[in-house]
Amino acid sequence: MSTPFEFVPGVTYTDLFAYRSTMHTGRYHLGYAGPMTEPEKGPQGLRRGRGAKERILSAARQLFREQGINSTGIDQLCSVAGVSKRTLYQHFAGKDELIAEDLRRFDPDVLPEVFDRADLTAREQLLAAFDIHAPLCPFIAAAVEIQDPGHPARVLARDYKSAFAARFTDTAREAGATDPEQLGEQLALLLDGASARGRVLNTEAFATAAAIATVLIDNALPAAAVPPSARGGL
């Protein structure tokens, strides 16, 4: 029997908010899946196999984004994923663990498609973070819906938002900002605000946020770090 392998997709901030349908990029990791076993059949005779966990996570991502965490039940998750409850509980202890795993996979490296781009200057990376057209951030959505501050999803959301501000701060320092910590926090707050406001008003708020970010960034950088074409607005 040939050695079985499993491709496990992970999602970055690119599919964000798919959470952003334009912000989910798939990355694949090759790993040994263990000995072959007879797959269990779920609803409508669908085979469980080793892809069941990914189908469950895919269904959770879709349903949580479209209708909210609290409005999504286990029965519906199983139906959309094409698995039995038994199969779901073989992979996840419960809905709380599923919510946390969904967030954990969302953007583990914090916007690498922006902050790790070698073709952009540090200033350009800061601005590129606002070139996002997405619905409400899933970390914000989870924090709003889940009241318990000790819930694993709330802890993940808090850690992610801290890491996001830190990414801004590190990049602001690289760009030469006089107060990188302040600029990093300002930009993180601005981006989150644009996400929330866009959701509430059902409109595009990122273009306005990008214009504000440009002023904040260029006022925080030494004149030599600002391109001549951008200095007219300072």
Side-chain angles (χ1 to χ4, degrees), residues 82-162:
V83 300
S84 65
K85 282 187 179 180
R86 176 188 173 192
T87 296
L88 186 145
Y89 287 118
Q90 283 177 338
H91 291 290
F92 302 97
K95 184 179 173 183
D96 288 352
E97 183 178 315
L98 177 56
I99 297 167
E101 182 63 16
D102 174 46
L103 292 179
R104 188 176 293 112
R105 291 186 174 208
F106 186 72
D107 184 25
D109 299 319
V110 188
L111 262 185
E113 67 272 25
V114 169
F115 293 117
D116 292 345
R117 285 187 60 178
D119 61 317
L120 299 180
T121 66
R123 175 183 176 275
E124 289 170 339
Q125 288 175 4
L126 293 173
L127 291 172
F130 289 84
D131 188 21
I132 296 169
H133 303 277
L136 182 65
C137 168
F139 295 95
I140 295 177
V144 169
E145 288 204 64
I146 299 170
Q147 300 301 310
D148 178 10
H151 188 286
R154 282 285 299 270
V155 173
L156 279 167
R158 183 169 61 248
D159 290 347
Y160 178 84
K161 289 304 179 182
S162 295

Side-chain angles (χ1 to χ4, degrees), residues 65-88:
R65 306 298 180 261
E66 291 179 354
Q67 63 188 33
I69 291 171
N70 293 334
S71 298
T72 300
I74 292 295
D75 288 340
Q76 186 182 20
L77 279 166
C78 290
S79 177
V80 173
V83 300
S84 65
K85 282 187 179 180
R86 176 188 173 192
T87 296
L88 186 145

